[in-house]
């Protein structure tokens, strides 16, 4: 397939795309935050640009939305397809800019018990009187360890001997997953992500103290494929590689947030051992690359609603090799893990008086807690 250059002005961001790519897709590849409110259906008119170069003929949606402006070079970026080199002028009105992202809040006391734990160990050296294996030596010192994974076993003999048997054990739910030289027990971090329909917020947490180290936020790049969850599901149903693209966009954006947090707070990405993720059911599915189309139609059935744990590397998240990703459970198609996170964060089930938790986001949800029961709607 032929490839052509698309240049976005002002700024001159340039990207090479295959023939037939829409200008909206090219903008997303170039990192230009073009509006895509209707998910590229040609109905909202928000992605209007001026373009010069070889493009596909105007569509009926463009003729309806742009009228006479078509003859002046105006196009809908979601409709115009690249057939040669193109220069695109993006007006400010078509950019997703100036959104304020809330990333601070109140906290409450929660006992610290992360699933990833690090412990510094001074091991006794082997001798003819003490021929325990390297693993037995570590697990005995840990007291609570049960097993080890293969990567940890492979590095174990080298790390313990190189460091005079003074090492830090990294365990996930009691299983040894890594051994580090010296005392690194104070360097254990986690990132908590709130994957919103419009915005992404990441919190860097010190898992040895429970303190929040810092926060960072970004726009959800999927917004170019529709402003709300239904438009986004529509996008993936209309594009063969839609699910792949929406998933990759979110993973890339979360990786950028991890590296930004690490850079700003002087933490190495391989010191991030735990990542938690909440989001509405559609965002949750797209993050996991699960097809969410069945939540858009009767009887509104998600693929899964259980809590899930994966290795970060399975999802392409850049953290410690053994980092785990904890995905909170959904309640239903439109009551997501984000509201579950809200319930956990506020301790809603413990309050005595009838209390309403309201999540005002791009998609809104409410939970009423009363008489020991909770009822949710969206
Ligand atoms: S008209 Fe292009 S995104 Fe809505």
């Amino acid at each position: 397939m032929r490839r052509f250059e698309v240049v976005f002005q002002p700024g001159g961001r340039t990207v090479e795309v295959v023939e037939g790519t829409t200008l909206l897709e090219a903008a997303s590849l170039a990192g230009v935050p073009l509006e895509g409110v209707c998910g590229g259906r040609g109905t909202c008119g928000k992605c209007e640009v001026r373009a010069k170069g070889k493009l596909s003929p105007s569509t009926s949606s463009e003729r309806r939305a742009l009228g006479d402006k078509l003859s002046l070079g105006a196009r809908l970026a979601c409709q115009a397809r690249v057939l040669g080199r193109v220069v695109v002028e993006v007006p400010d009105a078509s950019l997703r800019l100036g959104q304020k992202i809330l990333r601070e809040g109140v906290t409450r006391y929660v006992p610290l018990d992360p699933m990833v734990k690090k412990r510094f160990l001074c091991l006794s050296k082997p001798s003819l009187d003490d021929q325990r294996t390297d693993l037995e030596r570590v697990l005995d010192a840990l007291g609570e360890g049960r097993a080890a994974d293969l990567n940890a076993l492979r590095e174990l003999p080298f790390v313990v001997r190189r460091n005079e048997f003074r090492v830090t054990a990294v365990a996930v739910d009691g299983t040894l997953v890594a051994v580090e030289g010296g005392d690194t027990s104070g360097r254990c971090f986690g990132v908590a992500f709130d994957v919103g329909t419009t915005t992404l917020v990441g919190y860097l947490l010190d898992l040895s103290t429970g303190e929040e180290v810092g926060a960072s936020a970004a726009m959800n790049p999927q917004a170019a494929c529709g402003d709300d969850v239904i438009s986004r599901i529509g996008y993936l149903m209309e594009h063969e590689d839609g699910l792949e693209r929406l998933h990759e966009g979110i993973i890339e954006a979360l990786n950028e947030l991890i590296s930004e947090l690490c850079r700003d707070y002087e933490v190495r990405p391989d010191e991030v051992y735990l990542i938690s993720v909440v989001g509405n059911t559609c965002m949750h599915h797209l993050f996991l690359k699960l097809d969410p189309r069945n939540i858009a139609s009767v009887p509104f059935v998600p693929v899964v609603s259980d809590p899930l744990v994966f290795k970060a590397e399975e999802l392409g998240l850049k953290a410690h090799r053994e980092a785990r990703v904890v995905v909170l459970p959904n309640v239903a198609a439109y009551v997501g893990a984000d509201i579950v996170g809200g319930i956990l964060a506020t301790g809603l089930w413990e309050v005595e008086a009838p209390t309403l938790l309201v999540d005002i986001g791009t998609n809104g949800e409410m939970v009423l807690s009363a008489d020991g029961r909770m009822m949710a709607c969206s």
Side-chain angles (χ1 to χ4, degrees):
M1 247 193 195
R2 293 190 298 168
R3 300 179 72 86
F4 300 107
E5 194 180 72
V6 182
V7 183
F8 289 90
Q9 301 289 12
R13 286 203 189 190
T14 302
V15 67
E16 210 182 71
V17 298
V18 295
E19 185 174 14
T21 303
T22 66
L23 291 181
L24 186 62
E25 291 162 344
S28 157
L29 291 170
V32 176
L34 256 187
E35 286 280 13
V37 175
C38 67
R41 290 206 178 98
T43 54
C44 70
K46 299 281 188 194
C47 62
E48 181 181 331
V49 294
R50 303 245 153 175
K52 271 195 205 136
K54 220 168 162 205
L55 289 164
S56 56
S58 57
T59 64
S60 55
S61 311
E62 290 182 282
R63 288 192 286 281
R64 213 173 22 248
L66 301 171
D68 292 346
K69 288 196 272 180
L70 267 175
S71 59
L72 302 171
R75 298 296 305 259
L76 291 182
C78 66
Q79 302 290 301
R81 294 184 180 276
V82 175
L83 301 179
R85 185 176 186 275
V86 185
V87 178
V88 184
E89 194 72 36
V90 182
D92 284 353
S94 300
L95 288 170
R96 282 179 279 119
L97 293 175
Q99 301 238 22
K100 282 206 161 180
I101 302 174
L102 179 67
R103 53 186 204 183
E104 280 151 26
V106 291
T107 53
R108 71 184 184 97
Y109 173 74
V110 178
L112 184 63
D113 187 20
M115 73 188 295
V116 177
K117 293 193 176 67
K118 292 179 85 172
R119 243 184 68 206
F120 176 55
L121 306 171
C122 286
L123 304 170
S124 54
K125 292 185 182 173
S127 66
L128 286 177
D129 295 327
D130 178 4
Q131 291 182 315
R132 284 175 301 159
T133 63
D134 291 342
L135 179 62
E136 283 168 332
R137 208 166 291 279
V138 170
L139 294 184
D140 287 350
L142 272 177
E144 56 198 30
R146 289 189 296 272
D149 77 6
L150 191 55
N151 282 329
L153 287 176
R154 283 181 175 151
E155 68 193 3
L156 182 58
F158 304 102
V159 178
V160 290
R161 284 167 183 79
R162 226 184 282 132
N163 293 280
E164 295 291 316
F165 287 81
R166 295 164 68 83
V167 293
T168 299
V170 184
V172 174
D173 277 343
T175 297
L176 185 72
V177 296
V179 188
E180 298 172 353
D183 184 359
T184 63
S185 56
R187 304 288 298 171
C188 187
F189 297 90
V191 177
F193 281 121
D194 181 2
V195 179
T197 311
T198 309
T199 55
L200 310 170
V201 185
Y203 301 89
L204 181 66
L205 302 155
D206 185 332
L207 298 181
S208 59
T209 62
E211 295 293 318
E212 182 185 315
V213 180
S216 193
M219 302 304 291
N220 186 335
Q222 296 175 344
C225 307
D227 258 14
D228 55 75
V229 296
I230 297 299
S231 306
R232 247 166 258 180
I233 292 172
Y235 176 88
L236 81 86
M237 288 168 74
E238 284 160 16
H239 296 78
E240 209 180 314
D241 58 351
L243 177 58
E244 184 107 16
R245 280 202 211 173
L246 291 168
H247 168 73
E248 279 173 6
I250 202 78
I251 295 295
E252 205 176 300
L254 296 184
N255 275 331
E256 268 169 37
L257 280 180
I258 293 175
S259 47
E260 196 177 303
L261 284 165
C262 287
R263 195 179 52 241
D264 290 353
Y265 299 99
E266 296 179 0
V267 169
R268 293 197 320 268
D270 66 0
E271 293 176 319
V272 173
Y273 297 85
L274 194 56
I275 294 169
S276 71
V277 177
V278 298
N280 63 53
T281 307
C282 180
M283 292 306 108
H284 162 285
H285 277 39
L286 294 176
F287 166 70
L288 293 173
K289 206 171 160 192
L290 303 175
D291 195 318
R293 74 184 65 203
N294 295 319
I295 67 175
S297 56
V298 179
F300 312 114
V301 177
V303 176
V304 61
S305 61
D306 305 79
L308 301 165
V309 179
F310 299 101
K311 274 194 176 185
E313 65 179 13
E314 287 178 77
L315 286 157
L317 290 175
K318 292 181 184 147
H320 186 272
R321 158 198 101 199
E322 296 295 335
R324 297 304 198 261
V325 181
V326 177
V327 185
L328 264 63
N330 296 306
V331 177
Y334 293 96
V335 181
D338 49 353
I339 201 84
V340 174
I343 292 169
L344 290 172
T346 56
L348 189 67
W349 69 95
E350 292 171 337
V351 294
E352 278 168 19
T355 304
L356 194 62
L357 170 66
V358 184
D359 179 1
I360 306 172
T362 310
N363 309 288
E365 289 143 342
M366 285 184 187
V367 186
L368 176 65
S369 174
D371 295 333
R373 289 199 318 150
M374 286 188 281
M375 305 255 301
C377 68
S378 65

